[in-house]
Amino acid sequence: LHQMSVAGLVLSLGLLVDNVIIIVENLQREIDGGAPVSSAAVASVRQLAVPLASATGTTLAAFVPLLLAEGISADFIRSLPIVVMLTVGTSFLFALLVTPTFARTALRKRPVRGRSLFEVLARRVASIAVHRPGRNLALAACLLGASLLATRFVEREFFPGTDRSQILVDVSLPEGSHLDGTDRAARALEAALLARPDVVSVAAFIGRDTPLFYYNLPRRPSSPHLAQLIVQTTDLERVLPLQRWIRDFSRRGIPEALIVSRRLEQGRTVQAPVEVRLSGGSFAELQSSAERVVAGLRKIDGCQDVRHDLGVGVPALTIRVDDASAQRYGASRTDVALALLARTRGLEVGQLRGGEDPVPIVIRPSAGEEMLAALHAVGRPFRSASSERRRSPGARPPSTTGTTFRR
């Protein structure tokens, strides 16, 4: 079920029956007064068509701003004003066209009886309202002013957080980092969290995102330098203090990783509450501009988890094969590609199916891993085009016919 559509239907249920109730009450009053059913139906529609149209139009106008709003939040709640406006409009047409038809067969003249307790109270309240208008208007103004003052104590939040006592933690190491380094950083954070008394459990996912256990989780591509953790706290009140602790611990204990924690919220998927978009003519200009913006934002009180997603660039190492020379040695481009892959990342020779997901079996010399580590140390991350796919469970085997290795 669509969340906002159901919310709009629940919101409009009270409005749905108002027009029908008013028409039926007026019809019954006309019939009790001695008018025929047909005449009572015509008289009720003639008397109430304009007042009900005015009331319905006022309700529709109240939801027009939500319907015309723009942005991510407006797109998420678009169905709410649509459902409410359709429901109220349908109720108005139903009350004028369908209800009188049913009333002709269902309503009968009621026997004369004395006033009920409700009628007595209603007449007394109406008498007070008519005979003391000044006092009533003053009381209404006071109540209105009190309600406006009371809004200061109401939390203003368009999309409130959920009632789940869970935290989603994103762990990002520099691009090109080895999966083992990401695993060590995630294990260090996991061990520190489990040592706290307000943490019930921690689930860590290395090189991939968490399963889609909530409807608006941000998704990231699987990569060796990324990890996500789900932290279950003892109660909802411990969520915000634990987020502050994670932020402080990551600065002191894992400075090489960017760690961002977030609570589960309603609404569309948003990477950050405030985003600044930069555009430029070159990567170097964007890099320097992004660093200046980040440095400036970090000096502002209240700014937390300031980061940018520019990355470190995409350097490439291209191997060009001299086909004539290769043919003299009886080697093809495929042979060269396989030799390079075997020397660096290794060749996949099979899969181990010991659990739910198959694990690739890769043969690789130790020198290949040492060469990649040396390239990382000098600031030239290097990875084959198929390495990320081989890190992901259930992925296809890497292609062995290409001759370009890139990060």
Side-chain angles (χ1 to χ4, degrees), residues 168-189:
L168 185 67
V169 183
D170 295 335
V171 180
S172 303
L173 269 70
E175 293 185 21
S177 299
H178 197 276
L179 188 64
D180 294 340
T182 307
D183 183 56
R184 286 192 296 270
R187 285 180 182 272
L189 180 58

Side-chain angles (χ1 to χ4, degrees), residues 316-318 337 340-341 344 382-384 402-407:
L317 179 62
T318 302
L340 288 170
L341 184 62
T344 54
F382 180 79
R383 163 163 90 246
S384 70
T403 58
T404 299
F405 290 75
R406 62 183 181 272
R407 189 196 62 76

Side-chain angles (χ1 to χ4, degrees), residues 63 67 77-88:
F63 286 90
L67 185 65
I77 66 169
R78 185 84 63 197
S79 60
L80 191 148
I82 292 176
V83 171
V84 173
M85 296 174 76
L86 287 176
T87 304
V88 174

